[in-house]
Amino acid sequence: LAQYGVPLVGVAKKQKNHQADRFIIEYRELSGMHITYSSDVREMFKMIKEGWLIGLIMDQDPSLRDGIILDFFGRKTNCVTGPATLARFQNAPIFPGQIRHRPDGGHHITIFPPVYVEKTKNKQEDIRRTMQQLVDILEQQIRNYPEDWFWLHDRWKSVREIGMD
């Protein structure tokens, strides 16, 4: 998206190794993205107001302190809350997307209709409901194109640690 001129912020986790971190950031910036660390929420708020899109990966297993337990492939799993939290706070839409490999070696990007976070008096329920909707979209895309979901870490680790699996 950034290569096509979309003002896109990639959100990264800071690596412990400084050289590895620098390499990853520089590589991502080559595509035209602005990179910010996941800890810099103020920068994300500022950039949303300036019209930037924030790119968040949501198939991660966050810490139990930071996550929310949702249904994913018929199992309870710990999910991030960032997309719904940011969108609710900024009154911004969430545009789920997927990148698929094409047979010719290229990629096809699909951007789905916007998801809006309802803003009721129950902030946690608004976030839970929206994140479940996003997780359902992710699950359906994985079911449709399992060959395009490449995942390197244990998706159900934290729920196993608390005996929910």
Side-chain angles (χ1 to χ4, degrees):
L1 291 173
Q3 288 177 336
Y4 288 100
V6 174
L8 182 63
V9 177
V11 179
K13 182 177 179 182
K14 189 169 191 148
Q15 303 299 304
K16 292 177 184 173
N17 180 297
H18 176 70
Q19 280 109 358
D21 188 64
R22 192 176 83 230
F23 172 78
I24 292 169
I25 296 295
E26 288 175 3
Y27 187 77
R28 289 175 174 162
E29 287 176 339
L30 286 174
S31 69
M33 280 192 289
H34 172 80
I35 305 298
T36 190
Y37 292 116
S38 54
S39 59
D40 200 349
V41 176
R42 283 189 175 158
E43 182 178 23
M44 287 183 248
F45 286 164
K46 176 181 167 274
M47 295 189 88
I48 289 171
K49 287 180 183 177
E50 292 174 1
W52 289 75
L53 300 181
I54 308 295
L56 297 170
I57 304 295
M58 52 172 277
D59 65 345
Q60 305 295 301
D61 184 0
S63 71
L64 287 167
R65 180 191 74 227
D66 297 329
I68 186 170
I69 304 298
L70 300 172
D71 295 317
F72 185 55
F73 284 101
R75 295 175 65 187
K76 298 291 184 195
T77 192
N78 191 29
C79 299
V80 298
T81 60
T85 302
L86 277 172
R88 187 180 188 280
F89 188 81
Q90 293 292 306
N91 294 314
I94 301 169
F95 291 92
Q98 179 190 22
I99 301 172
R100 292 191 352 251
H101 288 91
R102 293 189 323 229
D104 67 1
H107 296 87
H108 178 83
I109 300 172
T110 302
I111 304 296
F112 299 96
V115 172
Y116 295 91
V117 183
E118 187 177 3
K119 211 168 188 179
T120 69
K121 292 180 180 179
N122 189 337
K123 175 183 173 183
Q124 294 307 319
E125 180 58 21
D126 296 345
I127 291 169
R128 188 207 63 75
R129 189 174 40 256
T130 303
M131 288 309 304
Q132 185 64 63
Q133 184 179 356
L134 295 172
V135 167
D136 291 346
I137 292 168
L138 173 64
E139 179 181 325
Q140 188 57 55
Q141 292 312 302
I142 294 168
R143 287 182 189 282
N144 292 344
Y145 307 99
E147 67 277 9
D148 285 325
W149 194 47
F150 181 70
W151 201 48
L152 296 173
H153 71 271
D154 184 354
R155 185 70 182 97
W156 288 272
K157 179 182 177 187
S158 61
V159 293
R160 241 190 348 276
E161 288 174 355
I162 60 172
M164 288 189 76
D165 63 337

